[in-house]
Amino acid sequence: MTGLLRDAIAGLVDAHQRGSRLALVFDYDGTLVPIAGHPRLARLGDETRRQLERLVRMPSVSVGVLSGRAIENLRDVVGIRGLLYAGTNGLELSFGETTLRHPDSWRGRRLAIAAIEHVRPALRGHAGAWIEQKPLGLTVHYRNVKEPERIEKLRTDVFHAVEPLSERLRVLDGAMAIEIMPNLDWTKGSALRMLAAHVGGNIVLPLYAGDDVNDADALTTAAQLGGVAIGIGQLAPRTAQYLLPDPRALSCCLDALLEMLLATTTPSTPSPERTPRDGTDCRA
């Protein structure tokens, strides 16, 4: 973690000590966990799970996961009590027992089904590519396409297939995946604002971390709200204020955040030194 990012984290902790609430929100795939060959293989690591569980118990700190995954899938793979969840790139939100979906979600479901019927024929002949169907959208995954020279043809075929529906769709060209969803006015950025509003209080400062093009507006929103916007990996959007190389580095950042928060809430109890993993110095 760079000195500038450490200073930004320290600024959040100082504001928290002075009465501000913190909303710590993270993308899932590529941010909290490394990108895997299949979404079901991307499992939250034990250390990151412990960090999130500790953060969610801190006073005046709310923790959320904001993902392109469907919200039910997100709850299943994370499954931490007390977390806030937002799925399908902000079209679904969950605050405890309350789940919100866009008012036009019924229209979005029908449009997602129509989009699948357009896309499915376009994948014929592209071995390794497959469709992940969601209640309010779909994702075309092509990470397992073994012939790199075929990827550009696949992407062209998919974009051409959805062209008749383009005015009603949002199509996000991400890392080895194309996300297709209804073009409604809820995005990851608007979801972050709704999560922050749900947290409540006079001042809510967000921290958002994300790795891909669908995180761009949430990163922008975090900065606009006076918080911290962290990009993860080489493909992180330019709207990020700070960059970390991978989810492991983010885990180190969470360690530093926890140590700072603990120091302000229990100053008489020193935080244990963390043993760096795989040569990563979390204090750097």
Side-chain angles (χ1 to χ4, degrees), residues 162-175:
V162 298
E163 180 62 29
L165 304 173
S166 60
E167 291 185 0
R168 292 181 287 161
L169 294 174
R170 289 181 67 218
V171 182
L172 299 176
D173 191 8

Side-chain angles (χ1 to χ4, degrees), residues 18-242:
R18 289 184 282 109
S20 297
R21 296 187 63 89
L22 302 184
L24 312 176
V25 184
F26 309 93
D27 176 45
Y28 186 74
D29 297 276
T31 299
L32 288 175
V33 300
I35 294 289
H38 191 285
R40 67 172 175 265
L41 302 177
R43 311 301 296 183
L44 194 64
D46 291 342
E47 180 64 24
T48 302
R49 181 176 297 279
R50 283 192 292 269
Q51 290 168 332
L52 297 179
E53 289 172 341
R54 293 177 71 190
L55 285 168
V56 82
R57 292 194 297 267
M58 299 291 294
S60 298
V61 174
S62 296
V63 183
V65 181
L66 171 50
S67 171
R69 292 181 180 237
I71 201 164
E72 290 302 325
N73 176 265
L74 197 58
R75 284 198 194 101
D76 288 342
V77 296
V78 179
I80 296 176
R81 189 176 183 85
L83 255 65
L84 308 173
Y85 294 98
T88 317
N89 292 305
L91 294 180
E92 311 172 278
L93 296 97
S94 175
F95 310 127
E97 299 299 320
T98 302
T99 298
L100 302 177
R101 290 183 174 85
H102 193 281
D104 289 334
S105 59
W106 62 272
R107 187 179 291 115
R109 290 189 185 96
R110 296 166 68 178
L111 186 56
I113 292 171
I116 288 173
E117 294 305 313
H118 280 72
V119 170
R120 187 174 285 119
L123 297 190
R124 292 171 186 159
H126 295 293
W130 60 282
I131 297 173
E132 178 188 1
Q133 184 173 355
K134 307 171 187 177
L136 296 176
L138 63 142
T139 300
V140 177
H141 295 274
Y142 55 89
R143 182 168 298 277
N144 294 326
V145 174
K146 295 182 179 179
E147 301 174 2
E149 63 275 9
R150 294 196 59 84
I151 290 178
E152 190 57 38
K153 176 66 165 58
L154 179 150
R155 294 173 66 257
T156 299
D157 289 347
V158 171
F159 281 106
H160 179 72
V162 298
E163 180 62 29
L165 304 173
S166 60
E167 291 185 0
R168 292 181 287 161
L169 294 174
R170 289 181 67 218
V171 182
L172 299 176
D173 191 8
M176 307 303 284
I178 301 171
E179 298 201 47
I180 302 168
M181 68 209 77
N183 187 18
L184 303 175
D185 55 351
W186 287 13
T187 67
K188 278 194 170 185
S190 64
L192 182 60
R193 288 186 182 275
M194 284 189 276
L195 291 175
H198 173 77
V199 168
N202 293 328
I203 300 178
V204 179
L205 296 177
L207 177 150
Y208 184 77
D211 73 304
D212 207 350
V213 61
N214 64 350
D215 296 299
D217 64 338
L219 291 164
T220 297
T221 298
Q224 290 174 342
L225 294 176
V228 175
I230 305 174
I232 308 297
Q234 296 180 348
L235 299 178
R238 295 185 178 182
T239 52
Q241 299 167 307
Y242 308 95

Side-chain angles (χ1 to χ4, degrees), residues 1-11 228 241-242 284:
M1 182 167 63
T2 66
L4 289 176
L5 177 53
R6 183 175 288 275
D7 289 345
I9 297 295
V228 175
Q241 299 167 307
Y242 308 95

